[in-house]
Amino acid sequence: MNRRGLVGALAAAVALAVVPKKTRAEPQKKIRPPGALPRGAFEQACIGCFRCAEVCPTKVIRFPSVLSLDTATPFLDMADRACVLCMKCTQVCPTDALVELKVESEVIAREVRMGVPKLNRAACLPWTGRGICRLCYQVCPYPDRAVEVVGPQKAPLFHVEACVGCGLCEEACPETARAITIEPLP
Amino acid sequence: MKRALQPFDITLRHGKRYQALRRLFLGFSVLLTVGLPMWHLHALEIEGAGRAADSRWSTLARFLPDTPPPFFGAPTSVWVWFFDLVDPLETLATALFRGFSWNLVWTVLPGVVLVVALGRFFCGWACPYLPVLAAANAARWLLSRLGIPTADVKLPRVTSRVVLVGVLLVGSMLGVQLVPLVYPPAIIGREAFRAVFYGSLGAGGLLVAAAFVFDTFVSRAGFCRSLCPGGAMFSVLGSVSPVRVVNERSKCTDCTVCDVICNLGQSPMTNALDSGCERCGKCIASCPTKALSFKIVFPGGKS
């Protein structure tokens, strides 16, 4: 590298070091794939190479199509799909924006927090006395920990602290209810 | 008025095997860009786990093998059997935020070794923007045949380096990863993936379209030459490459054909090539007197 290049590189390094963190934009709240770094760090580490979406067996990992600063970062579209916790996406990420995780129930329960479940009791079948549904409980990979059923009609009760946010319950919730949504981490 | 000589007017006389190899490699790269997502989608459908059946590409992908491909991602970050080929610029952009990590070193190392050895070869051999550039050059030629003038602004050589530093700097100021948003191979790869998987294009196509318009009307190969941050990165890394085009001045007739055919504004005729050379070999192929050839020249030494 010639002298001009070296001076330029040094100037850039100095500028990078003194740039105040305050200028940084607040990243949008989105549901990110499992093993993702915390918000902010993830958007900076991801190079948008779409390997995670390429290997996702349920195609729940998607890329936004609108023009925005995070148009190159993956998010989970849980409207009609869910994550099956295969952890393939964490294994193919080249920059460790998704930290590699083993496909072990306890590891996933400890490390993965994709989103938080929100139950609209006014729409839920058991909570409104319209039946004993239990679908969310049946599909939950962590029954009795992330969701338990209470009362004579087996109404679901979510425990946010134990939920990985895979969205299987949102996908399973009957058309007539649609009471569960997975929301991005606060 | 006499029309200025254009690259499309020049016939490639020899070095045909080199050009065939280059086009084969480029074709393979472009094929991977579109074909890999198709193969992955097909493998997912065969696995039957997802709701992949809603894809409009399922019929087209049927001829692909049923097992998942041994490659992931294309073209700026490819996993090939057991090693990573990740773009040096994207790795640097990540490292600026994340700091040093051995994992990043291993992912970028094979690519860096290739570029240090062969120079800025990616731009001439593998970049999926090249078909767009060829279309822009064809459009320039057509416009000149029709008598419609097109500008060829030559921005100073340092522009691409300024863009490179600027993209990294602005990105770190905003705290967002800008490189995948402005780097054509990354954009084209993502849009190809999106087209295959979702059947739609995203906003990234706008920048590629803008680059096409820029290359057609404002500056020939101007994006690659003076705006692409990835090209600048490859130039910096590849400046030590010993593979160089050398002009045997005794055979040269100063016909300027090589200078005209070069997309990147190099001057093989006067032996004034710098790290911007993409090793496409078209100057060698176009030379009527075989004065040009690749030589191994180590910095500061003779071949």
Side-chain angles (χ1 to χ4, degrees):
Chain A
M1 196 185 279
N2 56 17
R3 203 173 56 184
R4 205 169 47 177
L6 199 65
V7 169
L10 280 176
V14 169
L16 282 178
V18 298
V19 164
K21 300 274 192 265
K22 273 181 200 160
T23 60
R24 299 191 167 180
E26 189 70 30
Q28 289 181 41
K29 288 182 179 176
K30 284 186 171 177
I31 304 173
R32 298 301 186 184
L37 295 174
R39 183 175 302 136
F42 171 77
E43 286 82 351
Q44 293 164 359
C46 173
I47 56 170
C49 73
F50 61 82
R51 283 190 205 180
C52 52
E54 214 166 41
V55 297
C56 180
T58 60
K59 295 208 289 169
V60 65
I61 300 181
R62 294 182 72 94
F63 281 84
S65 51
V66 292
L67 190 62
S68 71
L69 280 179
D70 63 353
T71 191
T73 53
F75 71 102
L76 270 63
D77 178 13
M78 289 183 166
D80 63 342
R81 292 144 203 261
C83 168
V84 290
L85 304 173
C86 70
M87 299 297 130
K88 274 185 191 161
C89 52
T90 72
Q91 285 149 13
V92 296
C93 181
T95 60
D96 287 341
L98 309 176
V99 180
E100 184 166 355
L101 293 172
K102 283 185 185 158
V103 196
E104 284 172 16
S105 181
E106 287 317 304
V107 173
I108 292 169
R110 192 175 62 240
E111 302 290 341
V112 176
R113 291 290 178 277
M114 287 179 276
V116 287
K118 192 155 184 263
L119 176 70
N120 177 13
R121 286 191 187 177
C124 176
L125 298 181
W127 279 109
T128 52
R130 286 185 285 163
I132 304 166
C133 167
R134 301 204 325 150
L135 275 177
C136 51
Y137 179 79
Q138 281 166 354
V139 297
C140 181
Y142 299 99
D144 294 322
R145 288 162 68 180
V147 59
E148 62 172 329
V149 285
V150 295
Q153 293 185 321
K154 309 278 187 195
L157 205 59
F158 286 92
H159 299 295
V160 174
E161 69 284 353
C163 174
V164 297
C166 67
L168 283 168
C169 52
E170 178 177 342
E171 189 191 23
C173 191
E175 252 341 286
T176 48
R178 307 303 297 161
I180 307 167
T181 45
I182 306 291
E183 298 193 331
L185 296 171
Chain B
M1 193 184 81
K2 192 176 174 291
R3 205 163 53 80
L5 193 62
Q6 291 231 352
F8 265 62
D9 305 323
I10 299 169
T11 43
L12 301 182
R13 293 152 196 276
H14 37 258
K16 287 205 170 108
R17 275 160 78 180
Y18 187 86
Q19 291 306 314
L21 190 68
R22 187 179 69 88
R23 288 191 178 128
L24 198 71
F25 197 87
L26 178 60
F28 183 66
S29 169
V30 173
L31 191 72
L32 273 189
T33 305
V34 184
L36 259 190
M38 275 191 188
W39 193 350
H40 275 286
L41 186 62
H42 180 67
L44 287 180
E45 287 178 345
I46 295 294
E47 200 178 279
R51 297 184 181 174
D54 55 5
S55 163
R56 66 183 71 180
W57 301 91
S58 44
T59 328
L60 200 57
R62 199 158 288 163
F63 61 90
L64 290 165
D66 291 352
T67 47
F71 313 116
F72 296 107
T76 52
S77 130
V78 198
W79 169 258
V80 193
W81 286 298
F82 58 91
F83 66 94
D84 257 313
L85 271 174
V86 180
D87 189 276
L89 172 62
E90 297 201 319
T91 312
L92 176 67
T94 305
L96 280 181
F97 286 121
R98 295 214 55 194
F100 177 86
S101 93
W102 282 109
N103 223 353
L104 286 181
V105 173
W106 301 135
T107 55
V108 80
L109 196 62
V112 168
V113 168
L114 280 175
V115 174
V116 165
L118 301 172
R120 189 187 172 175
F121 79 100
F122 178 87
C123 305
W125 282 66
C127 183
Y129 181 73
L130 279 177
V132 182
L133 175 59
N137 278 345
R140 290 183 79 86
W141 176 78
L142 198 64
L143 288 171
S144 81
R145 289 287 296 255
L146 297 172
I148 302 165
T150 50
D152 191 2
V153 179
K154 299 244 190 290
L155 294 166
R157 203 173 92 80
V158 75
T159 316
S160 63
R161 309 269 164 109
V162 171
V163 171
L164 170 66
V165 174
V167 163
L168 295 174
L169 204 61
V170 172
S172 67
M173 276 164 70
L174 295 173
V176 287
Q177 196 52 268
L178 280 186
V179 171
L181 305 179
V182 298
Y183 184 30
I187 295 172
I188 292 171
R190 210 167 51 244
E191 294 305 328
F193 159 78
R194 198 196 299 277
V196 171
F197 264 60
Y198 313 146
S200 67
L201 287 177
L206 288 174
L207 188 125
V208 177
F212 172 80
V213 170
F214 182 75
D215 283 356
T216 305
F217 293 101
V218 182
S219 174
R220 181 181 148 210
F223 195 91
C224 306
R225 192 164 58 193
S226 33
L227 292 180
C228 182
M233 186 76 197
F234 285 128
S235 288
V236 172
L237 286 175
S239 56
V240 290
S241 163
V243 180
R244 281 161 200 275
V245 174
V246 175
N247 186 349
E248 261 180 81
R249 290 292 304 156
S250 57
K251 289 189 193 166
C252 180
T253 58
D254 287 352
C255 71
T256 74
V257 157
C258 53
D259 284 10
V260 170
I261 204 163
C262 180
N263 270 333
L264 296 181
Q266 304 286 313
S267 179
M269 192 179 85
T270 54
N271 254 333
L273 289 108
D274 56 32
S275 57
C277 168
E278 60 178 9
R279 274 71 170 177
C280 71
K282 279 194 283 195
C283 53
I284 296 172
S286 67
C287 181
T289 59
K290 295 192 181 179
L292 296 166
S293 61
F294 277 115
K295 292 243 165 66
I296 304 291
V297 185
F298 287 99
K302 280 278 177 190
S303 60

